[in-house]
Amino acid sequence: MKSENIISLEKLCFGYDERGDVLKNISLDIPKSTITAILGPNGAGKTTLLHTILGLLAVQSGTVKLKGELFSNYSRRELSQMIGLVAQNEYIPYNFTVMEYVLLGRTPYMGLLEMPRENDYEIATNALDTLGLMSLSQRTIMDLSGGEKQRVALARALVSSPRILLLDEPFSSLDFRTARYLRLE
């Protein structure tokens, strides 16, 4: 029985003007319900690949398919509900509390200018509790350590209930004990 691919890339190409081709003829199928690691040295294009899958960078040629459908067939809202990202370094322009920031992961399920509902708070609370962050919920993001910020970013990604979770060096800011805990759970 053939497994459905959650992500399919075919002859994907992308380059920055000043760097030339970063991704050249990348073809890749990732079956659903799997964990896939993209490994390579610094500057090899791992983050660029994730950003093309997310649609943050427009591919120069080739195709990106999610669940067998072309990326372009999905609305931004559908993509936001389907894909979660934990970036390697995330710039957070406002001094949100941890709870406010995690609730941003629920915005794909809200209407324009709609405030989070009780259900959204329950989902955010569960994610914070699961990651051992509930005690930080009222602290501001700027007051957190790098590892705490990384875990909060993971909580924000998880509350959107994504079918696809893209992690760009998710353990880079974590201490050994926390990284080991997250890998085992």
Side-chain angles (χ1 to χ4, degrees):
M1 181 173 150
K2 186 178 178 187
S3 175
E4 178 187 332
N5 293 318
I6 193 81
I7 298 174
S8 294
L9 310 177
E10 188 175 333
K11 296 183 180 180
L12 187 73
C13 294
F14 177 83
Y16 298 100
D17 291 338
E18 66 276 4
R19 291 179 54 194
D21 289 338
V22 177
L23 306 175
K24 189 172 184 178
N25 292 321
I26 303 292
S27 293
L28 170 69
D29 288 323
I30 300 175
K32 67 179 182 177
S33 302
T34 62
I35 297 173
T36 302
I38 308 292
L39 304 173
N42 291 342
K46 300 178 300 291
T47 298
T48 300
L49 179 62
L50 293 180
H51 287 179
T52 58
I53 291 170
L54 280 165
L56 298 175
L57 296 173
V59 298
Q60 293 167 338
S61 63
T63 60
V64 175
K65 291 183 179 178
L66 305 173
K67 295 176 48 181
E69 292 286 328
L70 286 173
F71 183 88
S72 58
N73 290 349
Y74 290 97
S75 70
R76 180 52 53 194
R77 175 177 276 222
E78 290 170 320
L79 290 169
S80 296
Q81 291 173 350
M82 187 184 312
I83 304 172
L85 171 69
V86 178
Q88 182 177 358
N89 296 307
E90 186 164 331
Y91 172 69
I92 304 168
Y94 302 105
N95 202 14
F96 293 109
T97 66
V98 167
M99 180 59 82
E100 290 168 337
Y101 180 70
V102 170
L103 282 167
L104 289 176
R106 296 297 302 159
T107 57
Y109 298 95
M110 295 180 207
L112 184 62
L113 301 177
E114 186 178 344
M115 297 300 291
R117 295 174 299 268
E118 185 176 333
N119 180 53
D120 298 315
Y121 279 97
E122 287 174 17
I123 292 168
T125 298
N126 287 337
L128 289 170
D129 192 44
T130 298
L131 293 172
L133 295 168
M134 200 54 214
S135 65
L136 304 178
S137 67
Q138 295 309 308
R139 286 187 49 198
T140 61
I141 294 289
M142 302 302 178
D143 293 334
L144 302 179
S145 71
E148 289 167 336
K149 286 179 187 175
Q150 194 75 355
R151 288 168 43 213
V152 169
L154 179 57
R156 181 200 35 80
L158 291 175
V159 300
S160 68
S161 303
R163 292 186 187 111
I164 302 168
L165 184 60
L166 302 177
L167 307 171
D168 192 0
E169 302 209 25
F171 302 118
S172 62
S173 297
L174 300 180
D175 60 78
F176 177 76
R177 186 172 137 210
T178 303
R180 186 164 186 253
Y181 168 78
L182 290 175
R183 287 182 185 135
L184 295 174
E185 291 299 311

